[in-house]
Amino acid sequence: MKTYEDFVRIRGWAHQRNLVSGSTTDKQFTKLIEEIGELAAGLARKDTVKVMDGIGDAVVVLTILAEQMGFSIEACIEMAYD
């Protein structure tokens, strides 16, 4: 499976900020729900910039959550796709 450079950068950023080992999966899940709420608001307002930002933020949080669980986001995507 190919590794996407953006996910590598996200994981590095998260480790530098101690978001992987210094946070909990519960906190990341709460953050994910917050980001989904912002995405929903963007959709309701038909605000393309907010929608794109919400999707991107959710992907970042999911990448961190996967890392906390000992998975790679790439493996999660591949499993879902298959």
Side-chain angles (χ1 to χ4, degrees):
M1 179 181 155
K2 109 176 157 177
T3 301
Y4 298 98
E5 187 176 318
D6 288 338
F7 294 127
V8 173
R9 290 194 339 237
I10 291 167
R11 283 189 289 268
W13 176 86
H15 280 284
Q16 287 175 349
R17 285 160 183 75
N18 203 31
L19 296 174
V20 177
S21 60
S23 183
T24 66
T25 55
D26 288 345
K27 287 180 183 178
Q28 284 305 305
F29 183 73
T30 300
K31 184 68 175 168
L32 177 62
I33 298 306
E34 177 187 321
E35 299 301 349
I36 296 301
E38 290 178 12
L39 172 58
L43 287 167
R45 294 182 181 107
K46 298 184 184 346
D47 185 331
T48 304
V49 172
K50 287 188 188 269
V51 169
M52 289 180 67
D53 184 61
I55 291 170
D57 287 347
V59 169
V60 169
V61 174
L62 285 169
T63 302
I64 296 168
L65 181 59
E67 183 79 358
Q68 287 179 321
M69 301 291 297
F71 313 135
S72 73
I73 193 70
E74 298 92 336
C76 295
I77 292 167
E78 185 173 312
M79 181 180 281
Y81 185 79
D82 290 343

